[in-house]
Amino acid sequence: MMNRRHFIKNLSMVAGSSLAMAPGMQALAKIIDPVPMPLSTKAQFARALQDNPALIGFANVTENFALKALTIEGKMPGDLKGTLYRIGPAGHERGNLRYRHLFEGDGMLHSFNFGNGKLFHQGKFINTPKFAREQQAGKFLYSGPDTKIAGALAVHHADSINSSNTNVISVGDKLWTLWEAGSPMQVNPQTLNSSDWVNLGQNSPFGQSLKGMPFSAHPKIDPGGDIFNFGLNGNGQAVLYHLSANGQMKNAAVVDAGYRGMLHDFLITHKHILLILPSLSPNGAGKGFFERTRFEKEQPMRVLVIDKAHLTLKKSYQLPPGFAFHFGNAWEERDGSIHFDASLYPDVGSLHNLSALMQGETGKHTNRSQTVLYTLKPNGGFTEQYIDGDSEFPRIYDHLVGHRNRLLYTTGNKNNTLWADSIRRLNTDTGAVDEYYYGEDYLVEEHVITTNKAREGSGYLLGTALHVPSKRTCLNLFQADNLSQGPIMRAWLPYHIPLGFHGSFLRS
């Protein structure tokens, strides 16, 4: 078959003949001569959105959402009082530029406030110094982890580009919005107004030494209220944190993890911290951070077992190669056996898929995660059990963090290649599954548990979903012990909000 190059070459030979000046050939030359300019990421996404309305969940947002009363279907339970907070990237574009990875966008915090039978929503951008400066300038001023901005300002420390877009927790009388590589941001729970970075060592023996250090987006709060977290440095060392419930630093230490890949989540038991290091490594000079993150199929997934009381490394394990963004829970038996679960992927395609999405490409990587139950033996051995079905954003009851749990709540995917479309509850003892399928028109986000009882299976599961045909987001409330009956209450926003990552419910 004649390829395009030969066709053009032959055409140029013909062009030297008497046919060269024929009107028909002039018109054809106009078609083939201009070299098409590659579309920008923003233009690619805009074109793809015209053909695939489901991409609306990744579209750019420019304004805050003012306080709005929502329309409720069903009846709000009388024992449900408090606020659901959700956060995710929302500011993906400025001027003609669009970020290349979903993790780069400026964070927006949403609140859904329940009380007196009514429900209100509002959403505000986290006013980080980066956001404030770029908002005033009307353009991106800093390069992101994957997006290079021409003439970008120098980045002197991680908080210069901290977008505070990944998670939100309650600490004392404030909210902390969290990123991966920098400081938490303090936010007013009622107004959602941001104030300042948290200086982690302030008013503690650590003083200024922890200011601006990486603090991951997945702190673990043990049933006593203490907060544990880690932050991974680019040199392969992990900073470990132990804070009181009001955010006062109790202890901090550094462990040499010898790991330079991406680490998003971790776990605690009642005695130990588990750093589970996926089979990832940076590979590719000149590429962005996420772009150069590669899955190493010969690299074991390592588990570092760290003493919580002293923040010192006690033991390590090697597991088969794997990658997980998220883990549900860990707990240990009297003989020292440690159990934990992971939403495990066979490779890192899901991370790169979040880059393809920003350009409007869907279905590029189809490998899904599934729940895997691990047991680490005191003799250094392990077992693993794979559970059928997709699994992401695992949640457990707060009072069981670090202790034996039997129920694991996750999102799932039955028919949608773009995002989750279902939720489920897995009994890890029996394998019993209770699930609810929203349908092909919905994109489902993480659901959180809220209850006023320290009893597994009590209370409600609460989460948002984007209904694509109507371009509206709905908030859905389920009985936590009966998901398959469907939502017992649903509240509709008159608009859609961008798909986010994580959230928490603060009872009042």
Side-chain angles (χ1 to χ4, degrees):
M1 177 181 293
M2 181 183 291
N3 63 28
R4 175 179 169 82
R5 178 177 297 175
H6 289 150
F7 174 74
I8 294 174
K9 180 180 179 182
N10 291 340
L11 191 63
S12 67
M13 292 173 65
V14 173
S17 70
S18 59
L19 293 174
M21 298 304 292
M25 292 305 298
Q26 287 180 335
L28 181 59
K30 289 181 180 178
I31 296 174
I32 63 174
D33 276 348
V35 177
M37 296 294 290
L39 290 175
S40 68
T41 300
K42 181 178 178 180
Q44 289 181 64
F45 180 82
R47 189 164 69 175
L49 181 59
Q50 293 178 355
D51 299 327
N52 186 357
L55 288 169
I56 192 173
F58 310 98
N60 186 48
V61 173
T62 59
E63 302 291 338
N64 293 331
F65 293 90
L67 190 66
K68 182 80 174 178
L70 304 186
T71 303
I72 295 176
E73 296 175 356
K75 185 177 180 181
M76 186 182 299
D79 61 345
L80 184 62
K81 295 179 181 177
T83 305
L84 172 69
Y85 297 98
R86 290 205 51 79
I87 194 169
H92 301 298
E93 300 174 1
R94 287 190 187 277
N96 292 321
L97 297 177
R98 178 177 173 84
Y99 280 133
R100 295 182 60 83
H101 199 282
L102 184 62
F103 289 171
E104 295 179 292
D106 291 305
M108 172 172 273
L109 179 63
H110 299 267
S111 68
F112 297 87
N113 180 256
F114 295 79
N116 300 321
K118 296 182 179 179
L119 179 58
F120 295 87
H121 166 258
Q122 65 176 324
K124 284 187 180 177
F125 277 103
I126 304 301
N127 195 34
T128 63
K130 167 193 177 297
F131 178 82
R133 293 191 70 176
E134 293 183 338
Q135 189 78 343
Q136 185 174 18
K139 61 181 181 180
F140 288 132
L141 298 176
Y142 298 95
S143 293
D146 268 23
T147 305
K148 305 306 173 192
I149 306 296
L153 298 178
V155 176
H156 298 292
H157 52 81
D159 285 338
S160 296
I161 57 170
N162 187 340
S163 52
S164 210
N165 65 5
T166 310
N167 201 359
V168 54
I169 62 171
S170 173
V171 180
D173 61 353
K174 301 289 186 184
L175 300 175
W176 285 9
T177 58
L178 304 164
W179 192 49
E180 295 285 351
S183 306
M185 172 63 78
Q186 292 189 98
V187 177
N188 183 302
Q190 284 77 43
T191 65
L192 306 189
N193 290 333
S194 316
S195 53
D196 201 359
W197 299 124
V198 177
N199 184 351
L200 290 165
Q202 193 169 30
N203 301 320
S204 83
F206 297 94
Q208 300 296 310
S209 64
L210 301 176
K211 188 176 182 180
M213 295 290 282
F215 190 80
S216 100
H218 281 281
K220 295 293 181 285
I221 303 173
D222 71 19
D226 279 7
I227 302 168
F228 291 85
N229 202 7
F230 77 94
L232 188 66
N233 279 310
N235 61 5
Q237 294 182 326
V239 187
L240 302 171
Y241 304 100
H242 178 188
L243 303 89
S244 67
N246 65 3
Q248 184 71 28
M249 188 63 62
K250 287 186 169 182
N251 194 11
V254 174
V255 169
D256 186 3
Y259 179 76
R260 291 180 169 78
M262 192 187 81
L263 182 60
H264 183 68
D265 194 4
F266 79 118
L267 290 167
I268 60 172
T269 71
H270 71 287
K271 292 172 61 178
H272 294 107
I273 292 169
L274 305 184
L275 291 185
I276 302 157
L277 310 175
S279 306
L280 304 180
S281 71
N283 187 348
K287 295 183 177 179
F289 176 77
F290 302 117
E291 185 182 14
R292 69 172 181 267
T293 297
R294 290 289 175 266
F295 183 78
E296 304 293 347
K297 60 182 179 182
E298 304 297 330
Q299 177 180 317
M301 191 163 64
R302 291 189 293 135
V303 182
L304 305 185
V305 181
I306 297 159
D307 177 69
K308 275 171 69 178
H310 303 96
L311 303 184
T312 53
L313 179 63
K314 304 294 288 186
K315 198 170 186 177
S316 65
Y317 291 81
Q318 291 194 354
L319 303 178
F323 164 61
F325 283 115
H326 301 119
F327 308 97
N329 192 33
W331 55 276
E332 56 190 288
E333 301 184 60
R334 290 184 177 180
D335 70 354
S337 296
I338 298 175
H339 303 268
F340 74 92
D341 66 84
S343 292
L344 193 75
Y345 292 87
D347 55 37
V348 75
S350 55
L351 175 70
H352 298 305
N353 202 34
L354 299 178
S355 177
L357 274 176
M358 294 298 285
Q359 301 170 60
E361 298 177 11
T362 58
K364 194 170 183 178
H365 304 283
T366 57
N367 285 329
R368 298 290 183 180
S369 58
Q370 65 183 113
T371 297
V372 181
L373 307 177
Y374 292 96
T375 298
L376 306 177
K377 304 285 190 178
N379 64 4
F382 71 91
T383 64
E384 55 182 354
Q385 178 186 359
Y386 283 71
I387 307 297
D388 287 341
D390 292 335
S391 157
E392 250 302 358
F393 297 109
R395 301 288 298 225
I396 67 156
Y397 282 77
D398 291 343
H399 71 281
L400 294 177
V401 171
H403 297 266
R404 195 185 199 293
N405 69 297
R406 292 173 177 81
L407 300 181
L408 190 66
Y409 292 82
T410 72
T411 60
N413 191 301
K414 291 185 171 298
N415 298 306
N416 197 314
T417 59
L418 181 65
W419 207 250
D421 58 17
S422 56
I423 54 171
R424 73 174 188 167
R425 181 188 63 182
L426 169 68
N427 185 316
T428 56
D429 279 4
T430 67
V433 171
D434 175 29
E435 60 186 344
Y436 176 76
Y437 173 53
Y438 272 81
E440 63 182 8
D441 290 335
Y442 289 84
L443 303 178
V444 177
E445 302 181 83
E446 175 198 63
H447 283 42
V448 305
I449 301 165
T450 176
T451 180
N452 56 9
K453 301 176 182 176
R455 181 172 63 81
E456 196 173 24
S458 67
Y460 308 99
L461 192 68
L462 181 63
T464 45
L466 169 57
H467 184 240
V468 173
S470 67
K471 299 181 180 179
R472 299 165 66 197
T473 295
C474 55
L475 181 67
N476 305 275
L477 185 75
F478 297 81
Q479 291 282 2
D481 62 354
N482 191 356
L483 303 185
S484 57
Q485 74 169 343
I488 59 174
M489 190 205 79
R490 174 172 282 175
W492 285 98
L493 281 69
Y495 39 74
H496 82 280
I497 58 176
L499 293 170
F501 295 137
H502 299 291
S504 60
F505 191 90
L506 181 60
R507 297 187 74 88
S508 60

